[in-house]
Amino acid sequence: MAIKLKIDRQDVSVPEGTTVLDAAAEAGVHIPTLCHVPKVTSPGSCRVCLVEVEGARTLQPACVTPVMEGMVVRTHSKRARQGRQMSVELLLANHPWDCNACVRNGQCELQTLAQTLGITDVRFPYSREEIPVDTSTPAVVRDMNKCILCRRCVAVCQDVQDVGSLAPRARGFDTVIGAGAGENLCDAVCVQCGQCAAICPVGAIYEQDAIEDVWRALDDPEKHVVVQTAPAIRAALGECFGLEPGTSVTGKMVAALRRLGFAKVFDTNFTADLTIIEEGHELLTRLKTALVDKGEVSLPMFTSCSPGWINFMEHFYPGLLPNLSSCKSPQQMFGALAKTYYAEKEGIDPKDIVVVSVMPCTAKKFEADRDEMMDSGFKDVDYVLTTRELGRMIQEAGIDFMKLPDEEQDSPMGMSTGAADIFANTGGVMEAALRTVYEVVTGRELPMEKLHVTPIQGLSGLKEVALTFEKCQPDWSFLEGVTAKVAVAHGLSNARKVCDMVADGEGGYHFVEVMCCPGGCIGGGGQPRMTTDEVRQARIKAIYTEDEGRPMRKSHDNPAIDQIYKEFLGEPLGHKSHELLHTHYQAKAPA
Ligand code: FES
């Protein structure tokens, strides 16, 4: 039923149940918000969205007030403006005034609000006791002195990721957002995904900054510093320079990295292609063991490229760890090969090689620090920058990003296919794997329009598709007539659903892709803020466009992958691959 009301003297008609905030947006009126994030949380606690409703005694929070027939709303009356200013002043009175030295300076929602609302003075004294900054994990820093108790981080951690490591502690003026039962995040069951850092409106949660470490390495004449960039970076980095979400900036990104001083600009896409070869063979080997040898094998096989998802499995579903592919993530495969294959090929002592990754994800920082990620004999990946950190480095270096020419990655570890591009988004790893597995097994291309497996694309939480193998090649005749059922989940609350199904023997899946963050890596915790569903869709579109524009779109067509097997690795799942490209997982403290 349509409800008719007046907002700032305009007649508005909206469906019943619409909030005043959304009705105002329909009418082209922007009401400021802070605690409200569409599709994530709307606790109605910050009181920044106050409006005057005729007949109501008090100002009403627009984000949680439903429209009513005949309602008359004033969004910028003197009373509404003063109410909002008071709400923001109260927040500012409890917030350190060191904006110039804050990581969010210039990008802080509280700072912007204060400016928009014309607040130049705060009438209340600052009266907060100092809380030690929590730097206990390699991924995320928590500075609760700056927390404004909007609880966005709590909502994303509990409801979107279903991890629940963050929660309010104490009450009233003493309330703080705590991590687990201890003081610090390292005491909590945290998967390090950084979704809290991506959604925090102020400087209370942010990534561990590796920028100074990377500058130091670049300044060291003894070091040969190479960089790899994850597929998702190219569809988001432009946002740091004011470009629309979904603007692909691959060529400019490469040019910027060269100007920053990296000796070689490589691509994580190269090892994404390699992952498909290794993981595809692992899947086929598991299927053969189950179908031909009738041996013990864990199916479905889960993908293993998302480190937040690995952390989630280790904490919450240790019984399913044998189902995880033993493949390292593309980031870690790259690091191990840079310090072995590349070092050997170029005659560089691996101790002098510094590997820097640019990743959309804070959990990648944690992954690079894992004890088992030293198979090259050194730390395989030295430093991990998020997309946001790379944006800051480019700005600090004074590089005019928009004026950069498009440049190409270096060889050999910069060559890749469209299949690697789509690792960036939910469903992409599975689609890339199916492009290769189907062709290896049948000798024919995947019979889908433009090679896209549409049922597993898009932002539905849990997607599935079944594919029947017909007219198989002699080596794979055991798959003749077999229908492979695959599933794709993104965001850990969806991952939990699929894990519960598998643990209960349901689903009948053979292969499952899970990405920790909503939308996959394009929505990672290290990407430019704010990542809404519209932003996710725009980035995904850019990634598929990139894929479709490539001359090579299947991982097994990448000649640099052929070359590395011939020159160095031998064969998929061979001895050297096991040594450098595969790993194992460990059960962690339960949740
Ligand atoms: Fe409405 Fe916070 S945005 S109360």
Side-chain angles (χ1 to χ4, degrees), residues 279-478:
E279 205 167 67
H281 278 84
E282 186 183 355
L283 175 67
L284 290 170
T285 305
R286 287 192 194 211
L287 289 173
K288 186 162 185 271
T289 307
L291 298 170
V292 180
D293 310 334
K294 308 290 177 203
E296 279 281 305
V297 68
S298 297
L299 284 170
M301 187 174 88
F302 286 115
T303 56
S304 56
C305 17
S306 166
W309 153 240
I310 299 292
N311 293 341
F312 180 79
M313 286 286 274
E314 288 182 326
H315 282 296
F316 291 92
Y317 291 93
L320 294 179
L321 288 177
N323 292 68
L324 275 171
S325 161
S326 63
C327 286
K328 287 180 182 173
S329 72
Q331 163 176 270
Q332 293 305 135
M333 283 193 185
F334 181 96
L337 290 172
K339 294 193 179 179
T340 52
Y341 169 64
Y342 173 70
E344 232 175 272
K345 210 172 158 61
E346 297 296 311
I348 304 170
D349 189 334
K351 78 170 171 36
D352 295 329
I353 295 181
V354 176
V355 175
V356 175
S357 305
V358 185
M359 293 285 141
C361 172
T362 54
K364 288 282 177 196
K365 291 175 184 268
F366 177 87
E367 180 187 47
D369 271 11
R370 290 176 76 119
D371 292 340
E372 58 270 33
M373 296 300 170
M374 298 186 66
D375 289 325
S376 63
F378 303 87
K379 192 171 182 239
D380 293 335
V381 173
D382 296 279
Y383 305 116
V384 179
L385 299 167
T386 60
T387 317
R388 294 191 294 263
E389 286 168 271
L390 176 60
R392 293 205 293 274
M393 278 187 83
I394 294 170
Q395 273 152 356
E396 189 183 345
I399 295 168
D400 187 341
F401 191 78
M402 301 307 297
K403 287 204 177 135
L404 289 170
D406 286 343
E407 293 184 6
E408 299 260 325
Q409 286 96 343
D410 290 299
S411 291
M413 294 177 71
M415 188 179 280
S416 64
T417 71
D421 287 324
I422 59 175
F423 265 58
N425 40 255
T426 170
V429 177
M430 183 60 76
E431 184 172 308
L434 291 178
R435 288 181 191 178
T436 287
V437 167
Y438 189 86
E439 193 162 321
V440 166
V441 170
T442 67
R444 300 183 306 280
E445 262 194 358
L446 193 63
M448 311 260 179
E449 200 189 337
K450 293 190 186 169
L451 294 177
H452 291 316
V453 187
T454 39
I456 54 169
Q457 294 185 334
L459 290 178
S460 302
L462 185 54
K463 301 161 280 187
E464 51 180 55
V465 72
L467 195 68
T468 303
F469 294 108
E470 284 163 347
K471 297 190 197 140
C472 296
Q473 298 286 298
D475 282 357
W476 310 103
S477 57
F478 66 92

Side-chain angles (χ1 to χ4, degrees), residues 32 48 81 84-86 88 112-120:
V48 163
R81 283 185 286 114
R84 253 178 239 158
Q85 279 172 346
M86 176 66 83
V88 174
T112 306
L113 261 177
Q115 197 181 34
T116 312
L117 300 183
I119 297 170
T120 51

Side-chain angles (χ1 to χ4, degrees), residues 33-36 44-49 61 63:
T33 55
L34 205 49
C35 68
H36 166 86
S45 57
C46 74
R47 291 328 210 217
V48 163
C49 63
C63 67

